[in-house]
Amino acid sequence: MTRRPPPDAVTAWLTIWFGMLVLGALLPSFFGVTLTPSAAVVRNIRRRSIPWADIQAIRIESILGTKSIVLHEANGRSTRLRAPTTAFLAWDRRFEEKFHVIGTWWLTHRGPDWTPAPPPPAWWIAPPTQERNPFAPPK
């Protein structure tokens, strides 16, 4: 353990660390959502355009402590956005603001054919949900 590592091992480790830094810098730009007047362009593993009129609800949902924004479509499909998200070790201070921006775009561009989606199922012991605008700025 007191010997120096061979030069090939040092080169391999430096290459791995450099590769991880490059991936860490580039990958976040591949995920997210672009808001256009006609659709939300979702960039997850593949790029997909969802027209505003097809979106029936936009909600914040939590899985294992990670909050993310989910687009619920009229055909029953749900699309979880890979960004923005917020979690314990990756806290996004502007997560609520980003949620409100996406929701405002949807409210503005969803069109007259929109009908509300049914509320998500609740446990029988859960307190009743409050009837308030989820896109209102936080108090």
Side-chain angles (χ1 to χ4, degrees), residues 42-112:
V42 179
R43 295 180 320 274
N44 281 340
I45 294 178
R46 61 188 176 111
R47 184 179 167 147
R48 203 171 122 232
S49 180
I50 306 171
W52 291 115
D54 291 349
I55 298 174
Q56 294 301 301
I58 299 176
R59 296 187 179 116
I60 295 176
E61 295 182 6
S62 180
I63 293 181
L64 299 173
T66 301
K67 288 183 183 179
S68 58
I69 299 172
V70 180
L71 307 178
H72 297 278
E73 299 177 47
N75 61 8
R77 182 176 184 174
S78 296
T79 303
R80 182 173 302 277
L81 303 181
R82 303 246 345 227
T85 60
T86 189
F88 176 66
L89 294 176
W91 193 257
D92 185 356
R93 293 179 187 212
R94 295 181 48 217
F95 178 77
E96 291 283 332
E97 178 185 337
K98 293 173 185 177
F99 169 69
H100 293 298
V101 168
I102 294 170
T104 303
W105 269 77
W106 172 62
L107 290 172
T108 305
H109 298 97
R110 67 184 178 193

Side-chain angles (χ1 to χ4, degrees), residues 106-125:
W106 172 62
L107 290 172
T108 305
H109 298 97
R110 67 184 178 193
D113 297 335
W114 177 82
T115 57
W123 294 95
W124 63 277
I125 57 173

Side-chain angles (χ1 to χ4, degrees), residues 13-63:
W13 277 108
L14 287 175
T15 303
I16 290 171
W17 279 105
F18 180 73
M20 290 178 71
L21 284 173
V22 169
L23 283 176
L26 294 178
L27 279 181
S29 65
F30 291 119
F31 302 120
V33 63
T34 302
L35 308 176
T36 66
S38 61
V41 181
V42 179
R43 295 180 320 274
N44 281 340
I45 294 178
R46 61 188 176 111
R47 184 179 167 147
R48 203 171 122 232
S49 180
I50 306 171
W52 291 115
D54 291 349
I55 298 174
Q56 294 301 301
I58 299 176
R59 296 187 179 116
I60 295 176
E61 295 182 6
S62 180
I63 293 181

